[in-house]
Amino acid sequence: MTHTPPPAQQMPVAVQIVSTVLFAGFAIPVTIVALNVFWPAGIAIAAILAWRGGFAPGMGNSIDMAALGEAVKTVSPEAAQRRSGNASFDRYRDEMLERLEHEQENFEDFLDRLRAAKDSTEFDQFMDDRAGRLSASS
């Protein structure tokens, strides 16, 4: 009886992305420091990284581009506009987003009026100070 190993599970795309970013965040500064301190070591590290095929640990050439594309799509701004499949939730979400946009517009209008009032007060104070200096010097 022969024992067959279980099929290798592919690393989730999110884990691949995070591990790539973390590895690059470590490998790039180490390579730079090695180049500055002892340049042959820096070149050796850069050559090893190039020989491995890049910064991604354990990925090799087994990148599933379709899965990577789907993972990127889930965090894109357009993902928030897709329908969930639940009509009640979609309606609630649309109403809530519309209400929040309206509140944001009202708040921005309030901030504009507040800035205008502050500018007017500062200008009036400046003019009063200037009038006081002019009358004191005459």
Side-chain angles (χ1 to χ4, degrees), residues 49-127:
L49 291 175
W51 173 69
R52 284 188 71 245
F55 291 115
M59 283 175 48
N61 292 328
S62 64
I63 298 173
D64 183 8
M65 294 309 283
L68 181 62
E70 286 301 315
V72 170
K73 285 180 187 174
T74 60
V75 294
S76 68
E78 294 83 26
Q81 297 172 354
R82 283 188 250 150
R83 301 284 122 194
S84 69
N86 183 325
S88 297
F89 174 75
D90 289 340
R91 186 172 48 257
Y92 166 78
R93 181 184 59 199
D94 293 341
E95 290 171 0
M96 182 62 69
L97 288 173
E98 195 172 303
R99 185 175 67 82
L100 288 172
E101 287 172 1
H102 180 70
E103 287 181 10
Q104 182 179 3
E105 289 171 5
N106 288 342
F107 184 69
E108 288 172 355
D109 290 343
F110 167 75
L111 286 178
D112 289 341
R113 290 192 310 272
L114 189 64
R115 286 184 194 110
K118 182 180 177 224
D119 290 346
S120 176
T121 303
E122 288 175 352
F123 180 73
D124 290 343
Q125 179 67 38
F126 170 75
M127 292 304 286

Side-chain angles (χ1 to χ4, degrees), residues 31 40-54:
T31 304
I43 290 177
I45 291 173
I48 290 170
L49 291 175
W51 173 69
R52 284 188 71 245

